[in-house]
Structures are given as structure tokens and as C-alpha cells.
Amino acid sequence: MGIPGTLPSTWAARQDTTALRTALGEDIAGTMLLEGAGPPGPPPALPEPKGAISNPHAGCREQETQERSGEGDGCNGSASLVWAATPGMLFQEDKQTKLHPLSLSWVLGYNSSLAVHSLMDGEDRVLLYVSSHVVVIHDVLGNRQSHLQVWHTARASSSFFPSPELSPSVSFSRCLGVTHNGIEEQPMQRSASFCLHASCNSQHVLVEGALCWIAAVTVSGTCSVAPPLRCFFSGGAAVSARHKDSVMGSEEPVKNGMQKLGWKNESGGPLGGKTRGAHEQSGLMNALNSHQVWSLQGTLLLLFPQGHTNVISCLCVSEDRRWVATADRGPDALIIVWDSFSGIPVRTIFESHPEDGVSAIAISQDAKYLATVSAGTVQRVCVWKWTSPTEKPMCSTELRPEFGYQTFNSVVGHFSQSVFHFNNSQALTGTSAGKLVVWDVVSPRTPSKELQAKLHSMKATKLVPMQKDSLTVLKVFESYIVTGDVKGQVKFYDGQLQLLTCYSHSKVGPIRSISFSKAPPDPPGASPACSTSCIPSSQPFVTRNFILSTSDATVLHVATDRTNFEKVMEEAKKAVNAIACHPRQTLVAVGSDCGLLKVWDYQQTKHLVSRIFTEAGIQCLSYDPQGYFLAAGFTDGSVYILDAISLQSSCREFKFSHGAITHISFSHDSEYFATADEKYSVTVYKSVLQNGSRCWEHLAGLHSHYKPIRSILFGVQLDSNEPRLLSLGEDRQLVEYDLNSSSKDHLVVLHRDRIEQIAVPLCLAWYPQLSTESFILTANNCYKMKLYNTTTKMCRKTLLGPTYGSPLEKIQILPPTNTTDPQKRYLAYITKDKVGLQILPVDGNPHKSSAFICHPDGVCDLASSYDGCYIFTVGGNDCTLMKWEVNLNALDAAASLGGEDLISFYNLLDGGREGEFFRELEDYFYYAQLRSHGIDTLETRQVSTHIPLEEIPSVMRAMGFYPSEEKIEEMINEVKFSKYVDTGEQVTKINLGDFIKLYINHRPAFGLSMKKIQQAFHVLGYDNENGDKVIDRGDLLLLLQCRGEHMTEDELVQCLTTLLGKRPAGGGSEPDTYDPSGAAALTEEEIPAEITAEIFTTDILGLPIAEPEKKNRKKRDESLIYKDSES
């Protein structure tokens, strides 16, 4: 059947659903098309909406047929991809240049709790399954994969702009209406691909797809110029975004479902005045930075991420294998309907079940309706006509607790699956006791209209024992009832539940799903397509081939003509936590909790060798630098050294750890390898020769940390080729070991340095030699990256790291890829659920990084290929490995859009370069110059662009950033010794540009929130009679003098006098003289005996909070408390 010329809209209102209804078997009038009548013609041209801005290319739809035949020469790209899609088209597309820094290339593993579907059988055996948040379409015989796209490209060709000199304003709207000067006008109909409505003042592009973001983009320059366009955002532009990590919208509703959004910080609070977060002003720019904007040969490409941001919880496929519906649980849960031919999402339903998402989904036989069940405690069932433009279900009901309670006279077991009988109104349910429950409609003697309207008036009328083993799958196929059980048997029954045939294999595990091929096999006369039936019959039993998936992550193809079970896939059935790439070949090793170790050739996507360890699960892997050996750490504390090719053990098993092995690392010369375990110990092994071959023996171990170890790292001594070993723990300790002085059972510590005051370090790497000085790079849980001198361990730089929802968990320096420019290096990293790239050197510029969701439930580890072309991530409990193709040119191009030098840092300030915050900063900066010269001096002043380093703390505090004394020392040393290695001289002053960078890199990434203050009171305080967490006044004063950075009594009195507004009168700028004699009376008079977090914030610190805190409120506002205040 043909495909219509218009892609159905995915948005909430005013969709053109004519085309989609036609594809599903309806003509425009709503009547069914006759089978075999041929494809429908293109739908007629839609009338131009009243009041809409005129479309200069309104005839695009009429030209669509000509374009398909190559006759049209205008309106490029207006033909819908859905209309032109055919089965298998996804694998026929030409490989084009990747437009993203990271592109998903291959997925290993799948969610074995969900069904595996057969899309095609025969010469092209194509499967569809779910891996984490991605739907994979896998051509098994052709060894190809396509992923229902996580990215969507919207092309706005320069030929659409009425004048090449015009500076267009492009906006993408979730609602299909034209917005002009902020006012929504009449809705407009769309052409096949997108409509561009233009006027002399503005242009508006509305893009088809499942999930787009509203963005206001101002493009400067001429549209016909080939070089990349410079894109930026006006500070006052109201934008709407559904990117949960960069920009989050307010809940203020605007008509027709649009939202007027305000910027919010990471914790969800509205932004304050002084200390702004890293994404406050540049949130949309960062969203653009990760979404990508390109201009290639005059074509503006805007790429928007779309698809599920949570792990897919359920899916279903239409009878014709054309439409795939997926849903997820969690925040911003979605229902998406995909076209499996083209890979395009044709419908997205937002907020279908806003509480907890969707736990089950089904599609009707005619593919026009979806049924969903929510995942909440009280579940709701909804029926959707997904071809309809509304986002409201046709009908819905709650599954109230009184539903479903029926008493049986015998053991029934747990229900597994239910289906409707194919020829009557009965329903069947399989159970874990091997029985079928037959349900029938209740038919009372005097039926009433009220009772007939109750769809749930079903009653169990019969309990049919089918077998002893548990039934795990029950489905209706043609005129058969099909069951699957825990022993891997597939049985076919007729409508009377009489057994027809059984397929079984001794090595098949519990069946999770059964999917029959789309096309039936040849007739019995052409080829033997009969199977030996368990029940004698005069007619041969004929059915289609089918795909089995089992709960132990195995997929099999069953050919019914030969009763042949062919293994298609066998993946890890438990969490995949370990990954390592070969240092010289295109090999990647993957280990799982079930003990399965696999080695893949990632270039050919071919499985090479595997080994199963039955004693324990694999926790970590590492190749030695030469690539001869593979070390594996296990959950029981054992370590195996394996041959890298055969996976056979090269020496005996080591077991010197009392907990699971979390890290393994080899020295550069393979003389040592070290492990870290969950008991906070580091164990070192030394290379020896045994019978002429290399092996290792246990050297020593040490309980060197008192909190979890985050990294162990071998390096090379600066003055020799000797290895050095470091470990980093959550106890903030960086420990270096003396390997030369260590002996059997005695591991010597060379240095032990505390590298953080408050933040928790999370990862460690050797920084590339990009300057004369050598550094160690760390990242902490406050979104900061720090550079430490490799010898002195002094913190040399603190820099703002990537801020994509969670801190960096692991980092890895990519191998050099540019031989012409050795200074051009890159870093790969993972956060809680994302993988990303960072351009080196790190300088705090947010546009030099990019991140993409890889494993929504958590990413465990990453590895890079030896040539830096691929990055691999594993997702732990989602049992998947993802291969990401690296495109560094795309990352460089995205970074260039952010501007050079200070431009990107200006955008991180409230209001940017022209804002009031910057002007205030200038005033403080020059006031600090006056203060350094003396306010009352009568001599001629020498105005400069610098201030002394001693003034840095005062200006920082004036701008609303209150660093600790240790932080002040780090900032001053960072500037003072910035040129010492090169020149041997100390820097004594700083200019405004460098001060802005210093301020942005050192201030809290997301400011201070009420939540943090409340957490401190929760730890230090007690519950008063009202149930509030409070701290006693005396205890607070004692804590300030004895804990953390100690304050003397005089310092405390001076601080409280200033905060409480009791400082002596006088207009001078010099420090005041305080009289501590009245301190006791002051504290008793101004500070209550019991202090709550709110009193401490507002009455003592003098910092306003965004909204009044209410008593006994469980969920308090987390808004920033840094506001413009005179305190």
C-alpha cells in the first residue's frame, strides 16, 4: 500500500492527519480502501489558513509527485520520507558525514525482559528489540543495525529566504501555529516536509518529528554564504525547551499549550541575582551547542535530540510490522510511534501518564489505536487514537483496588499474559501453574444498559490445566492459540484448546516472547512445511517461521519446515559493568555479572571469542600496554590474567582482595599492575619470568583509603622511565606509592595529599603535555576540574567542567588524532547517564564540551579505541554496550559558534557583556584600584586595567561569591604562579578579562541553594517541639569557632556585627574598629536561642529566598538565595 505525502504531526494541536489515516487504510472521507486497489494518490492541496502569513512556496504539495519522478526542481526536500519509505530502506541509505560529535554506531545487548519482534524473514532476517532507551532494528544476516533515531535534522534551505540579505529569525514551535511578535495567529497547514512562512519582519519554520524544542535563533550574515553562520541568542528572547539538563521551563501555562519559560538552575529553582550558575545565561546556547547548528553550502541545519530520555519500559508492533510504539517510565515520559520503514517518529504523546510513566502498551489489529497502562500505584488504562491530533485519550479508567479479586477452588498461580480468543468474546490468561483461566462476559438474566456499559464485567468461568510447567507466553496467531513455557517449549492449540503441535529444544531457556514472520512460507506442495504433530491429523500443520527470545538473553530463529532452532543472538543476561579496548587492534572486551567475557572486533562488528566464568561476575577489565594480556577483576576479589586472543589463563588466579575488584591498571612497561577493591585497598603485582615467559606475582597490598577508591593510575617519572602509581579516593586523598622501595608484603607510601576541602574528587587522569608544566587532572562532584602539579601536588588551576545534569564520573584522554597539530587533544568522559567530549586545554568554556544520553539508568564505564575514533560505554543493569563514532570536527565547529576569547565567558554572566551585572563588576574592579592607591590620596592616580592580587577576595565577595580562606589562597596562587614555569617570575596583578575567567571558574556552578543549607541543619541540628530542624545558638557559635576553617572570637564578633547591621557609623572605606565587649549582649538580643535554616539565611546572612518557607513543608523550594543585597 502506498504511503501518503504528508508526515503526521507529532504535536498537540492542529495536525494534518489525512496522510497517516490514508496509510492506515482510510481515505480522506474515512472509508476503508479496498485491498489490492493500489496505492492512494497524493492528498489534495490543503487550503491556506485564514490569517496566516503567506507562504511563498505554497505549491510545494502539488509538485510532490513530480519531485518523486525527478521532474521537480523546486522545494527541495518537501517530499515526505514516510511517503517514500519502503521495507529495509533504513539499511539502504548512503553513509553521510556525521554531524554530531558523537553518533551511536552499534549496540550490543538488549533488554531481555521485553519482546523481540521479527520484522522480516527470509533473505533479510530483520529483528526489532530494545536496548536501554534505543529501539534497534537489526539485519542479522547482513550484519547491519539501524537505530530509531535519537537525532532529527531540520533543514532550512537558503533558497527559501526571500532575500539573501535578510537576517532571519527562525523559531521552532511545539504548537503548529504561527507566532508573530509573541502572539499566536491562525494555525497553518504544513507541506510534506516543513513549511516556511515568511514576511519582511520574521520567518517561522515548523518541523515535523517526534520531539523538538522551541528556540528563538537569530542568524546574522547572509544566507547564501557558504561558511558556517554565526548563531546567537538575544538575552531577552523567551524560549521553551524540553532539554531536562540545560534549560528547564516554568509551569506557567500559556494559551494553546505553549509555555512561557524562565531560566532555572540545576536544582530547579529560579535564578537569583549575584551568583549565577554556569548555564543560566548560556543555557539555550549550550542547548544549541549540544543540539548542533550547521550551515553547509548555504543550508542551515538545526539538529534537535529526540526520543526517549528514560529506559524504554514497553513496546508493541503493528500486524504489518510498519508501526512501532514505545513508551517509558520516569520524568518526562513519552509515548512515541515510529515508522519502522523510514525510522521517523510520526507521533509523540507527551504527559500521557505524568505520575510514573507507562508500564504496558498494546496496538490494535488495525493499528489505529493504542492502549496504555500507567506505572503508578493506582494504575490508569487509556485508549488513544494516535492518528488524531489531540493528546487526550479517547477513554480512560482507573484500575481500582476492588477490581480483579476472584476466588478459585484450586491453585491458579501468578498470571503471566492474557489474550482474547480469536472467534468469540472470551479471554484467556496463562498462569505460572501451567493453567489457562477462561474469562467470559457476565450475562445476567435481566441485562441492563448500565451493566452492559461496564467493560470489566468479566468472570472466570473455567480453569483449564494445560501442563505442569509455568506458562510464560500466551498469544493468538491466526486461528491458533500459542503458548511458551519455562522449559522452552512452544505449543500450538486450536480454538478448543486441543494440542496441534509442539516445538522444543533442550538448550532453550524460559521463553519471554514469540514473534512470527510477516510472510507465510511456501505452500506445502512447493516445500515441506509441515511439522510432526503431537496429535494425529489428516491435514498437515502449516505455520510461519518465528523468533523466540528467552529470559536468559538468547534469541533463536525457528524454521517450522525443518523444526530447526538457530541461535541468532546470545547476550549477557546480567549487568554489564566491564569494558576494555585493545591498545593496538580493533578489539573490545566486555564482561558481565553472569561471568560472560566476550571479545568483539568492533570494526567488523563480529564476535571473536568468549569465555564463561561460573565462580563470580566480572567487575573490571584492562589490557596491558602491549596488548598481549587481558586482566579481569571479579566480584569475589579474584584476578585473572588471560591471553588477549584465546582468553586462556596465562598464570594462576590471584585472590588477595577481600572485596570486589573495582579497578585494574597496568604500568607503561607492563612491569607492574595494580588493583583497587571495594574494601578501600590497593594491591600491587610485579612481573616475573617463569620458564621463559612473563607472569606476575603478588608484591604487596595496603588499606590506603577510608572511603571508596575512585581511580588508580600508573604514570612515568619525569626524570626517568620508572613507573609511578597513584590512587584517588572519596576521602579526598591522593596517594602516591614508592614502587622501588616496596618489598614483599610491604607497600610504601611516598606522598599522601588532601586535594579537596569540601568537594569529593571522582576521577583522575594524566593531563597531556600541552605546556612546560606537567599536570594531573581531576574532576569533582561540584562540576569543577582541577589541574595539580605532578611533583608538588599544588592546585594550579580550577576550571568549570561540563555541567550536564551530573558531575563527571570517569574521564579518559583520547589518543592524539591530528599529527599536524600535537597540541590539539580531546577528553572523553561519562556522567551519571551521559557520554561526552571535551576540547583540551580545559579553560571553563562550556561551548568546548558536548554530551549525549547513553544509558538513562546509569553508565558504568567507558573506553576509547586505540586510534580515538570510537568510544564505548556500558550501562550496567541495562545489559548493553554502545559504540559511539567520534567526529571531532563537529565538536570544533560547535565550539566556534560560542565565540572566541572572552565572548563565551561574557555569556555566562547575568545579562552578558551589556548587562547590569557586568557594569557592576567593572565598577567594583575600578573601585578596587582606587582602594589600592588609597581613597583619600591627593596624588595623581595612575588608572590601569589591573588590580593587585590582594583585592581579588574583596571583589569576589562584592559580586556575591564568598570563598573560603583555602579557596582564596588557591585563586591567588593560580594567578601568581601562572607564568612562573616559563618566566621564573610571579604575577602580582590581574586584569578584568582574567578576573572574569577566574570568577566564573571558581564560583559554585549552580550557586547556593536552600537545600544545601537545610542539609547542613539536618546533620548538625535537632528536632524542636514543632518538628523543625534547629541548632542551638551556643552550639552554632561554637561550631563556627571550632569546626572547618576556625574563626577567632574577634573575627566572629566582627562578622556578626556586620551581618546584623550593627557596625559603627562612618563613611570611610577602611576597615572599622570593633569593640568585642558587647558581643554577648548583641548575640542574645539579635539571634534567637533556636535557629532554623530559614532564620539563619534571612535574619543572619541577610540573603532573601525566592519564596517564603512554610512550616512543616516537606518539599522546600530549592531556589538560589544569592540575590542583590547590601550585606
Side-chain angles (χ1 to χ4, degrees):
M1 178 173 291
I3 306 167
T6 305
L7 179 65
S9 171
T10 63
W11 308 123
R14 310 181 204 90
Q15 301 181 75
D16 175 17
T17 58
T18 303
L20 182 59
R21 295 202 310 270
T22 307
L24 292 172
E26 289 182 283
D27 62 15
I28 298 175
T31 57
M32 298 300 294
L33 294 171
L34 296 177
E35 190 136 357
L46 295 167
E48 184 170 333
K50 200 171 184 183
I53 303 173
S54 61
N55 182 3
H57 295 274
C60 287
R61 293 182 69 87
E62 287 81 1
Q63 297 180 15
E64 190 172 282
T65 306
Q66 298 177 10
E67 288 177 25
R68 292 198 192 104
S69 61
E71 298 174 1
D73 56 357
C75 298
N76 293 332
S78 63
S80 172
L81 292 177
V82 176
W83 171 271
T86 56
M89 187 185 78
L90 287 174
F91 304 112
Q92 299 170 4
E93 296 179 354
D94 296 331
K95 293 289 183 181
Q96 299 180 351
T97 303
K98 302 295 184 181
L99 298 180
H100 319 293
L102 290 173
S103 301
L104 184 59
S105 175
W106 195 270
V107 179
L108 295 177
Y110 72 100
N111 187 346
S112 60
S113 65
L114 298 181
V116 176
H117 294 273
S118 173
L119 296 187
M120 300 174 66
D121 195 20
E123 295 182 359
D124 295 316
R125 186 179 298 167
V126 180
L127 304 181
L128 180 143
Y129 50 85
V130 168
S131 298
S132 188
H133 67 303
V134 177
V135 180
V136 180
I137 298 180
H138 187 182
D139 180 359
V140 178
L141 302 180
N143 196 26
R144 299 174 296 181
Q145 274 190 6
S146 181
H147 313 105
L148 296 189
Q149 294 300 317
V150 180
W151 290 90
H152 181 64
T153 303
R155 293 178 173 85
S157 174
S158 60
S159 62
F160 282 95
F161 297 132
S163 170
E165 290 78 25
L166 184 66
S167 296
S169 173
V170 183
S171 66
F172 293 84
S173 175
R174 179 179 167 186
C175 297
L176 293 182
V178 180
T179 59
H180 182 65
N181 295 328
I183 302 174
E184 185 172 353
E185 297 181 359
Q186 295 295 328
M188 70 177 183
Q189 305 290 350
R190 300 181 305 153
S191 64
S193 197
F194 62 85
C195 272
L196 179 65
H197 284 244
S199 69
C200 59
N201 295 324
S202 64
Q203 293 153 343
H204 300 270
V205 181
L206 287 95
V207 184
E208 60 188 6
L211 185 56
C212 291
W213 278 257
I214 299 175
V217 185
T218 303
V219 184
S220 62
T222 59
C223 301
S224 58
V225 178
L229 300 177
R230 294 289 299 276
C231 299
F232 61 95
F233 297 93
S234 57
V239 297
S240 173
R242 301 187 71 89
H243 194 296
K244 67 177 182 180
D245 295 319
S246 294
V247 183
M248 301 194 306
S250 66
E251 301 301 323
E252 179 182 355
V254 182
K255 74 167 190 173
N256 296 325
M258 296 185 67
Q259 289 181 333
K260 181 180 180 181
L261 300 192
W263 299 109
K264 284 198 176 184
N265 69 339
E266 196 69 36
S267 59
L271 298 174
K274 290 292 185 186
T275 305
R276 291 284 181 115
H279 280 249
E280 300 157 15
Q281 191 61 28
S282 65
L284 185 54
M285 190 62 217
N286 286 341
L288 176 69
N289 198 23
S290 61
H291 300 164
Q292 302 299 319
V293 175
W294 293 78
S295 174
L296 303 176
Q297 298 180 350
T299 299
L300 179 65
L301 306 179
L302 296 105
L303 314 179
F304 296 85
Q306 63 182 16
H308 296 281
T309 57
N310 306 302
V311 171
I312 294 175
S313 58
C314 50
L315 82 159
C316 58
V317 179
S318 64
E319 290 286 334
D320 61 357
R321 312 299 196 272
R322 178 70 187 269
W323 313 107
V324 179
T326 57
D328 64 75
R329 301 182 189 180
D332 300 322
L334 301 174
I335 299 173
I336 303 180
V337 181
W338 310 79
D339 173 23
S340 68
F341 293 178
S342 64
I344 292 177
V346 297
R347 180 77 160 98
T348 297
I349 301 174
F350 297 94
E351 300 175 357
S352 57
H353 299 279
E355 297 83 9
D356 298 283
V358 183
S359 64
I361 190 169
I363 192 168
S364 62
Q365 194 167 11
D366 59 5
K368 296 178 185 178
Y369 302 93
L370 291 175
T372 59
V373 180
S374 69
T377 304
V378 178
Q379 293 181 298
R380 174 170 289 275
V381 180
C382 297
V383 177
W384 312 80
K385 188 173 183 180
W386 62 273
T387 58
S388 170
T390 180
E391 286 197 2
K392 300 293 183 183
M394 293 179 59
C395 57
S396 65
T397 186
E398 286 187 352
L399 298 179
R400 295 192 293 272
E402 58 267 24
F403 289 178
Y405 287 100
Q406 296 202 33
T407 304
F408 296 89
N409 295 325
S410 61
V411 177
V412 177
H414 296 290
F415 292 173
S416 56
Q417 283 188 324
S418 297
V419 296
F420 282 101
H421 200 286
F422 52 80
N423 60 7
N424 55 45
S425 61
Q426 292 178 331
L428 307 173
T429 298
T431 75
S432 60
K435 299 177 181 179
L436 280 184
V437 181
V438 182
W439 308 84
D440 211 341
V441 178
V442 175
S443 53
R445 298 178 180 177
T446 57
S448 64
K449 292 183 178 180
E450 180 182 354
L451 189 59
Q452 291 177 358
K454 292 184 178 180
L455 302 180
H456 57 270
S457 299
M458 302 285 287
K459 184 177 181 180
T461 59
K462 191 181 298 184
L463 193 62
V464 183
M466 307 296 291
Q467 59 186 54
K468 293 182 179 180
D469 301 311
S470 174
L471 296 177
T472 57
V473 176
L474 176 66
K475 67 183 306 176
V476 169
F477 173 69
E478 294 178 342
S479 58
Y480 307 118
I481 296 171
V482 187
T483 65
D485 59 33
V486 292
K487 288 193 173 181
Q489 300 178 108
V490 180
K491 298 180 179 179
F492 290 77
Y493 299 87
D494 61 14
Q496 303 301 318
L497 298 182
Q498 297 296 314
L499 181 65
L500 300 177
T501 191
C502 174
Y503 295 90
S504 63
H505 194 282
S506 59
K507 294 185 178 181
V508 178
I511 295 175
R512 181 62 189 84
S513 70
I514 304 172
S515 178
F516 290 90
S517 63
K518 180 180 177 181
D522 295 332
S527 63
C530 59
S531 171
T532 305
S533 175
C534 300
I535 305 296
S537 174
S538 58
Q539 298 293 331
F541 176 79
V542 180
T543 188
R544 306 179 193 175
N545 299 337
F546 54 90
I547 290 290
L548 292 181
S549 70
T550 66
S551 57
D552 55 4
T554 303
V555 178
L556 303 104
H557 177 267
V558 181
T560 57
D561 57 347
R562 302 182 300 275
T563 321
N564 180 39
F565 285 72
E566 178 186 353
K567 187 178 294 184
V568 177
M569 292 193 307
E570 185 176 15
E571 302 295 344
K573 58 186 176 182
K574 291 185 179 180
V576 178
N577 298 316
I579 185 174
C581 284
H582 196 281
R584 297 181 179 179
Q585 301 180 35
T586 60
L587 304 179
V588 59
V590 189
S592 73
D593 274 356
C594 63
L596 176 63
L597 174 61
K598 277 188 172 185
V599 176
W600 287 78
D601 183 333
Y602 56 78
Q603 198 69 50
Q604 304 295 327
T605 58
K606 182 180 179 181
H607 169 240
L608 298 180
V609 64
S610 62
R611 179 177 173 181
I612 296 179
F613 298 86
T614 57
E615 295 82 7
I618 301 173
Q619 192 71 17
C620 54
L621 296 167
S622 179
Y623 283 98
D624 78 303
Q626 283 72 39
Y628 300 142
F629 302 98
L630 175 65
F634 289 79
T635 54
D636 63 352
S638 60
V639 178
Y640 283 78
I641 304 297
L642 310 173
D643 180 84
I645 303 301
S646 65
L647 299 185
Q648 297 302 310
S649 297
S650 297
C651 53
R652 64 182 180 85
E653 168 196 2
F654 299 110
K655 195 168 184 180
F656 293 92
S657 298
H658 300 288
I661 305 296
T662 57
H663 300 81
I664 295 183
S665 181
F666 280 90
S667 64
H668 71 287
D669 55 4
S670 297
E671 285 297 318
Y672 298 90
F673 81 86
T675 66
D677 59 49
E678 65 179 13
K679 298 297 184 181
Y680 321 142
S681 297
V682 172
T683 308
V684 179
Y685 301 82
K686 186 176 176 60
S687 174
V688 294
L689 289 177
Q690 290 184 355
N691 300 325
S693 61
R694 169 172 286 186
C695 193
W696 282 266
E697 66 177 10
H698 174 258
L699 178 63
L702 182 67
H703 190 86
S704 51
H705 295 269
Y706 63 89
K707 286 188 177 181
I709 298 174
R710 299 295 305 200
S711 297
I712 57 171
L713 194 64
F714 276 98
V716 183
Q717 299 287 350
L718 295 178
D719 55 353
S720 67
N721 197 40
E722 293 295 320
R724 58 190 298 194
L725 174 64
L726 296 90
S727 65
L728 178 67
E730 291 184 10
D731 54 7
R732 304 178 179 88
Q733 298 289 325
L734 178 62
V735 182
E736 183 169 2
Y737 306 88
D738 189 344
L739 296 176
N740 289 330
S741 302
S742 299
S743 58
K744 184 67 175 177
D745 297 328
H746 180 60
L747 186 59
V748 178
V749 173
L750 184 62
H751 297 290
R752 187 184 295 270
D753 300 280
R754 182 183 175 98
I755 63 171
E756 293 282 1
Q757 183 182 26
I758 298 175
V760 177
L762 300 178
C763 47
L764 175 72
W766 294 104
Y767 198 66
Q769 196 72 36
L770 302 179
S771 62
T772 309
E773 194 172 1
S774 298
F775 297 113
I776 300 170
L777 176 67
T778 68
N780 63 34
N781 67 336
C782 294
Y783 298 88
K784 302 295 183 182
M785 304 178 80
K786 291 190 173 184
L787 293 176
Y788 295 89
N789 183 281
T790 56
T791 303
T792 65
K793 308 299 193 306
M794 173 190 279
C795 180
R796 295 288 293 105
K797 280 189 178 182
T798 298
L799 304 152
L800 177 66
T803 50
Y804 294 105
S806 57
L808 305 191
E809 298 285 342
K810 293 187 179 181
I811 56 178
Q812 185 170 340
I813 306 297
L814 293 182
T817 57
N818 192 336
T819 55
T820 60
D821 186 3
Q823 296 293 101
K824 206 166 188 179
R825 299 296 298 273
Y826 301 85
L827 175 145
Y829 62 85
I830 55 173
T831 67
K832 180 181 178 182
D833 59 351
K834 299 177 183 67
V835 59
L837 294 173
Q838 168 78 45
I839 299 175
L840 300 181
V842 180
D843 59 5
N845 183 350
H847 305 291
K848 293 172 68 173
S849 67
S850 182
F852 304 83
I853 294 177
C854 55
H855 302 275
D857 275 358
V859 52
C860 292
D861 202 358
L862 88 160
S864 69
S865 61
Y866 72 93
D867 56 2
C869 293
Y870 299 98
I871 294 174
F872 301 86
T873 60
V874 289
N877 291 328
D878 67 12
C879 303
T880 59
L881 174 147
M882 294 189 178
K883 169 186 167 186
W884 302 83
E885 187 174 347
V886 176
N887 183 2
L888 299 177
N889 291 331
L891 183 62
D892 291 334
S896 67
L897 290 175
E900 299 177 354
D901 197 25
L902 283 171
I903 294 177
S904 58
F905 292 93
Y906 288 144
N907 292 332
L908 295 178
L909 298 174
D910 182 16
R913 177 66 176 79
E914 305 301 326
E916 180 182 351
F917 187 85
F918 180 81
R919 292 195 297 269
E920 187 177 352
L921 175 58
E922 281 185 316
D923 292 340
Y924 287 132
F925 193 81
Y926 292 118
Y927 178 74
Q929 287 188 22
L930 299 178
R931 225 170 67 125
S932 65
H933 295 153
I935 295 296
D936 300 327
T937 183
L938 298 178
E939 298 179 2
T940 304
R941 300 182 186 277
Q942 298 293 329
V943 180
S944 70
T945 57
H946 295 76
I947 61 172
L949 298 187
E950 294 77 15
E951 294 293 335
I952 288 177
S954 299
V955 181
M956 289 286 182
R957 289 165 182 153
M959 300 311 298
F961 169 39
Y962 305 97
S964 65
E965 294 300 319
E966 182 175 317
K967 179 66 70 175
I968 290 172
E969 184 179 358
E970 285 185 0
M971 288 191 291
I972 293 177
N973 287 338
E974 180 176 323
V975 181
K976 182 187 293 185
F977 298 106
S978 59
K979 299 180 181 178
Y980 187 81
V981 175
D982 298 325
T983 65
E985 298 178 356
Q986 296 182 2
V987 177
T988 59
K989 55 187 179 180
I990 185 172
N991 61 29
L992 180 60
D994 290 338
F995 181 87
I996 291 174
K997 291 182 179 180
L998 191 71
Y999 167 73
I1000 288 173
N1001 283 319
H1002 280 266
R1003 69 177 180 178
F1006 301 105
L1008 180 63
S1009 67
M1010 273 303 301
K1011 182 179 180 180
K1012 291 184 178 179
I1013 296 178
Q1014 289 165 348
Q1015 286 176 344
F1017 272 72
H1018 183 78
V1019 174
L1020 301 174
Y1022 60 90
D1023 293 326
N1024 65 4
E1025 58 185 10
N1026 297 325
D1028 295 328
K1029 284 290 182 182
V1030 297
I1031 298 178
D1032 180 78
R1033 177 177 57 207
D1035 293 341
L1036 176 63
L1037 298 178
L1038 185 63
L1039 287 169
L1040 291 174
Q1041 296 178 75
C1042 301
R1043 300 292 294 271
E1045 290 186 343
H1046 299 176
M1047 299 178 69
T1048 65
E1049 186 175 352
D1050 290 344
E1051 289 174 338
L1052 181 58
V1053 170
Q1054 178 179 341
C1055 183
L1056 290 176
T1057 304
T1058 304
L1059 288 172
L1060 297 174
K1062 300 299 181 181
R1063 60 183 298 169
S1069 63
E1070 303 303 328
D1072 299 302
T1073 302
Y1074 293 88
D1075 180 12
S1077 60
L1082 174 66
T1083 54
E1084 290 183 4
E1085 178 183 349
E1086 298 293 336
I1087 301 177
E1090 291 184 340
I1091 305 168
T1092 64
E1094 292 75 25
I1095 292 175
F1096 180 76
T1097 302
T1098 57
D1099 297 345
I1100 298 179
L1101 298 182
L1103 299 176
I1105 54 180
E1107 295 179 3
E1109 296 292 329
K1110 298 181 180 180
K1111 278 190 174 184
N1112 302 321
R1113 183 179 175 183
K1114 294 183 179 179
K1115 294 183 178 179
R1116 299 182 180 273
D1117 183 32
E1118 297 178 17
S1119 303
L1120 294 176
I1121 63 173
Y1122 283 136
K1123 297 285 187 179
D1124 293 325
S1125 70
E1126 298 178 356
S1127 62

